[in-house]
Amino acid sequence: MTHFMCVQCAVQFANSDKPPSSCPICSDERQYVRLGGQAWTTMEEMSREHEVVLKDEDGVLSIGVEPAFGIGQRALLAETPNGNVLWDCVPLVTGAAVKALNERGKVKAIAISHPHFFSAVAEWSKALGDIPIYIHDGNRQWVMRPDPAIVFWGGETKSILPDVTLIHCGGHFEGSSVCHWKRQGKPNVVLAGDTLQVVMDRKHVSFMYSYPNVWPLNARAVKRIAGALEPFDYGQVYSAFWNMRILDDGKGAVARSVERYLKAIAD
Ligand SMILES: [Zn+2]
Ligand SMILES: [Zn+2]
């Protein structure tokens, strides 16, 4: 029995003797099946040619896999006086990476923005001491490896530590969520996954129903995301890929981005 991992999205599946017949996440209209056809690996196999890399991105620890594997996202560590939260996840767990995280304080929970970043989250939870994995109820159907550590949460917000709040935004996925991280003496941060995608100018974000298939969100969905974030104070936005961050006036940048997006898709 093996936990097979989809080569395209790097999501790990429940134990099975044979690889699953397809990957529902990649067969979905928001993703795609790779040109060479559906393929499978295991974490053990991919660990031979990949490593977990930790980088400091302007004061926020980023955890990614190199060379890039699957969708290529990196996770982020929200560090607080009451413990830390691993935001989103990567498909490889190594002893060295776990040790490096533990040296920065107890990781109390993992929270995942949406199904594209489920990756090896059950393995990460185990490696960090069977910590809870927060997934919005709207993404329940996309969990490919059920695990007792998974905590489905409903509603619009969920506080998981005194300074860490999950915010349900919808949009890209019904359960798409972001993480608000309150900091002392530094700007608060929105960890955005790809619910809001920081774009290359690092001054704006954009929104898509499907990024690889270039399929925009409608006005209602974008207004819903903006409305969900409105009550929160934040100065920085970190989205899902290496170096994609807005360091100054993040809240203003989101407001300006929403405005120009809605203008662009208007009649
Ligand atoms: Zn897949
Ligand atoms: Zn996605």
Side-chain angles (χ1 to χ4, degrees):
M1 297 283 265
T2 305
H3 290 289
F4 285 97
M5 181 180 276
C6 172
V7 167
Q8 184 65 60
C9 68
V11 170
Q12 213 181 36
F13 280 59
N15 249 331
S16 60
D17 289 326
K18 285 188 287 186
S21 56
S22 68
C23 171
I25 292 172
C26 290
S27 307
D28 173 56
E29 63 189 10
R30 281 161 284 208
Q31 249 299 91
Y32 59 99
V33 177
R34 57 200 277 282
L35 194 57
Q38 178 66 49
W40 301 94
T41 186
T42 61
M43 196 163 86
E44 192 193 4
E45 191 182 323
M46 61 84 80
S47 74
R48 290 182 205 129
E49 288 175 2
H50 296 82
E51 57 178 351
V52 180
V53 176
L54 278 69
K55 294 181 192 175
D56 176 273
E57 288 194 34
D58 285 306
V60 179
L61 187 75
S62 300
I63 303 105
V65 169
E66 287 186 345
F69 181 76
I71 292 172
Q73 79 278 5
R74 50 111 168 87
L76 295 157
L77 189 69
E79 297 177 88
T80 87
N82 300 294
N84 304 335
V85 172
L86 182 64
W87 171 250
D88 279 329
C89 203
V90 294
L92 178 60
V93 185
T94 63
V98 169
K99 185 167 175 278
L101 288 197
N102 283 333
E103 278 169 5
R104 300 176 77 111
K106 172 72 181 163
V107 184
K108 295 261 180 82
I110 306 174
I112 306 282
S113 60
H114 76 302
H116 290 152
F117 301 157
F118 285 165
S119 58
V121 67
E123 299 286 348
W124 272 102
S125 162
K126 279 183 217 326
L128 292 167
D130 291 315
I131 57 173
I133 301 162
Y134 289 91
I135 290 175
H136 192 272
D137 199 46
N139 289 332
R140 187 187 284 262
Q141 73 175 104
W142 300 102
V143 172
M144 297 297 136
R145 179 178 171 181
D147 191 273
I150 295 175
V151 179
F152 291 105
W153 63 280
E156 297 314 302
T157 60
K158 172 83 182 168
S159 170
I160 55 174
L161 284 180
D163 297 321
V164 180
T165 303
L166 306 180
I167 307 167
H168 176 223
C169 294
H172 176 42
F173 273 81
E174 179 44 41
S176 280
S177 308
V178 304
C179 179
H180 182 265
W181 169 23
K182 209 163 134 190
R183 298 194 295 182
Q184 300 302 324
K186 291 178 189 170
N188 298 338
V189 185
V190 166
L191 307 175
D194 61 2
T195 305
L196 306 88
Q197 188 81 266
V198 175
V199 295
M200 293 305 286
D201 68 10
R202 294 172 56 191
K203 292 174 187 153
H204 295 86
V205 296
S206 195
F207 312 89
M208 285 274 167
Y209 175 68
S210 166
Y211 289 95
N213 301 328
V214 198
W215 186 345
L217 280 180
N218 64 26
R220 188 163 47 107
V222 171
K223 285 177 186 166
R224 182 180 169 203
I225 295 168
L229 280 168
E230 188 46 42
F232 291 86
D233 173 56
Y234 58 96
Q236 301 189 346
V237 181
Y238 280 65
S239 66
F241 300 98
W242 292 120
N243 299 319
M244 287 301 168
R245 56 191 186 270
I246 296 173
L247 296 176
D248 299 310
D249 189 23
K251 188 156 178 159
V254 168
R256 287 187 291 277
S257 302
V258 168
E259 196 188 332
R260 79 171 190 177
Y261 184 100
L262 294 176
K263 210 166 148 188
I265 62 166
D267 286 343

